[in-house]
Amino acid sequence: MVTNTLKPLGLACLLALSLAACGGGDKTAGAAQEGSSAPDQAAAAGSTIDKIKKSGTIVLGHRDASIPFSYIADNPNQPIGYAHDLQLKVVEALKKNLNLSDLKVRYNLVTSQNRIPLVVNGTVDLECGSTTNNLERQKQVQFSNNFFVVGTRLLTDKATGIKDYADLKGKTVVTTSGTTSERLLKEYNDKNKAGINVISAKDHGESFLMLQNGRAQAFMMDDVLLAGARAKSADPAKWEIVGTPMSYENYGCMMRKGDAEFQKVVNDTLSEVFKSGEINKMYTQWFEQPIPPKNVNMEFPMSDKMKEIIANPNDKAADE
């Protein structure tokens, strides 16, 4: 049984998945964070599995516009996506391992800004989306084995002539607040005195909207998320992904720090999906075939780096 006590966005807003920003999303998730009770705080220090057994519920963090990892399509109460499917594999493993056939799932919308606090304080038990596994974040949360590898690049209108970061002098570049791309871009700009006007949007949808309406000439983010933005646009052929990757990022699932028992369940689940070859079918479904809600194709073949993490699962940080 799947329930959703947090109704993150209205249908009309969500169906505008051209990645335009929806104003209510962050406020809903933020309210969940601010309203966290003392028991939630205490739960963060204990066993996640014990918490799940006691409550009969697992709380999954999800995004609303991280296409095709975790997002809302036709049903505002039901996230979908590649990373979300991996989360559901963990749920199935818990049902089997804990003999909890009626384990309930509750969804909690998260954003780039609040996803870590909501995991740390016990509001969210597991978050699988588009979260980079890095050393700084490992000080706050535990990561699963990595399930995706991306490169940080630029999305731009072909007419601008922008081909790499060196072409950004005097240009406005948007990125999403609280992301690795935001940090990297600001560091690059300061170190190289590149003359870039860096602006930060609250989420990926707002970032792409700023690019579309001309407030920015480029949007820096993980290449696969840029491919999702391009695929959802009214005119995909207008946009191109350019630039030498400034970094490679590993995506992992987040959980509370120090909970080796729960981490093992998650990692064992991912390893089984990798070993069985089921991951290849899941990848094809979400990255190489038409996906909801508009039946667009990401056209994003599996990279050699992605094949490496499937062959040799690990939770190595992107910046190790």
Side-chain angles (χ1 to χ4, degrees):
M1 177 179 178
V2 176
T3 61
N4 185 351
T5 58
L6 296 178
K7 298 185 182 296
L9 294 173
L11 181 60
C13 179
L14 294 166
L15 290 180
L17 269 177
S18 58
L19 292 184
C22 300
D26 289 352
K27 294 177 183 177
T28 304
Q33 181 183 348
E34 293 167 5
S36 298
S37 62
D40 287 331
Q41 300 283 349
S47 163
T48 301
I49 289 180
D50 286 346
K51 175 177 178 284
I52 291 169
K53 284 180 180 178
K54 185 176 180 180
S55 67
T57 301
I58 182 171
V59 183
L60 302 180
H62 75 92
R63 304 296 293 270
D64 61 354
S66 287
I67 301 168
F69 294 95
S70 178
Y71 68 106
I72 295 294
D74 300 310
N75 183 347
N77 300 320
Q78 178 61 58
I80 62 173
Y82 171 82
H84 180 65
D85 282 354
L86 292 175
Q87 279 184 317
L88 294 183
K89 291 290 183 183
V90 175
V91 173
E92 291 305 313
L94 287 169
K95 286 181 178 181
K96 181 179 178 181
N97 296 346
L98 304 180
N99 195 27
L100 291 175
S101 59
D102 59 347
L103 178 63
K104 297 178 179 64
V105 174
R106 182 160 60 87
Y107 294 121
N108 196 130
L109 175 67
V110 301
T111 67
S112 296
Q113 294 86 355
N114 69 18
R115 56 190 167 181
I116 292 176
L118 289 175
V119 170
V120 170
N121 72 16
T123 301
V124 169
D125 297 317
L126 182 66
E127 190 271 347
C128 301
S130 52
T131 301
T132 298
N133 174 6
N134 62 34
L135 293 173
E136 184 61 32
R137 288 171 177 167
Q138 284 186 3
K139 296 175 183 177
Q140 304 173 73
V141 296
Q142 197 86 36
F143 279 94
S144 70
N145 285 339
N146 300 309
F147 63 79
F148 211 84
V149 183
V150 299
T152 47
R153 302 181 70 196
L154 300 165
L155 183 67
T156 186
D157 188 325
K158 292 178 180 178
T160 65
I162 295 171
K163 295 299 179 185
D164 215 329
Y165 293 93
D167 301 322
L168 297 177
K169 186 174 183 178
K171 303 286 197 305
T172 296
V173 181
V174 64
T175 187
T176 304
S177 177
T179 63
T180 305
S181 290
E182 180 187 42
R183 175 178 59 81
L184 290 171
L185 184 59
K186 289 181 177 179
E187 287 175 355
Y188 171 86
N189 197 30
D190 292 341
K191 180 179 178 180
N192 296 283
K193 300 188 183 338
I196 303 169
N197 178 30
V198 179
I199 57 176
S200 299
K202 71 179 180 65
D203 56 32
H204 304 322
E206 186 174 79
S207 292
F208 187 52
L209 182 62
M210 289 184 178
L211 179 66
Q212 288 179 301
N213 65 23
R215 289 185 60 190
Q217 288 73 59
F219 170 20
M220 181 181 174
M221 189 45 57
D222 303 343
D223 53 7
V224 68
L225 298 179
L226 297 178
R230 178 180 61 185
K232 298 303 298 180
S233 69
D235 184 10
K238 177 180 180 180
W239 310 100
E240 65 178 343
I241 299 170
V242 300
T244 305
M246 193 173 285
S247 70
Y248 286 99
E249 310 292 335
N250 302 325
Y251 287 176
C253 297
M254 284 196 299
M255 62 208 85
R256 283 179 283 286
K257 193 169 180 63
D259 195 341
E261 183 184 21
F262 187 54
Q263 184 192 37
K264 184 177 187 304
V265 173
V266 177
N267 282 345
D268 286 351
T269 302
L270 292 176
S271 293
E272 180 57 33
V273 173
F274 290 176
K275 187 187 301 182
S276 68
E278 187 175 3
I279 192 69
N280 296 312
K281 296 178 182 178
M282 294 171 67
Y283 190 98
T284 298
Q285 174 188 350
W286 290 105
F287 297 95
E288 299 181 286
Q289 292 180 353
I291 59 174
K294 295 185 177 180
N295 292 320
V296 294
N297 192 326
M298 294 275 295
E299 299 182 358
F300 199 83
M302 187 180 289
S303 68
D304 289 339
K305 288 186 176 292
M306 178 66 188
K307 293 174 183 176
E308 287 175 14
I309 68 166
I310 292 174
N312 301 289
N314 67 83
D315 61 358
K316 183 178 179 181
D319 46 1
E320 279 188 29

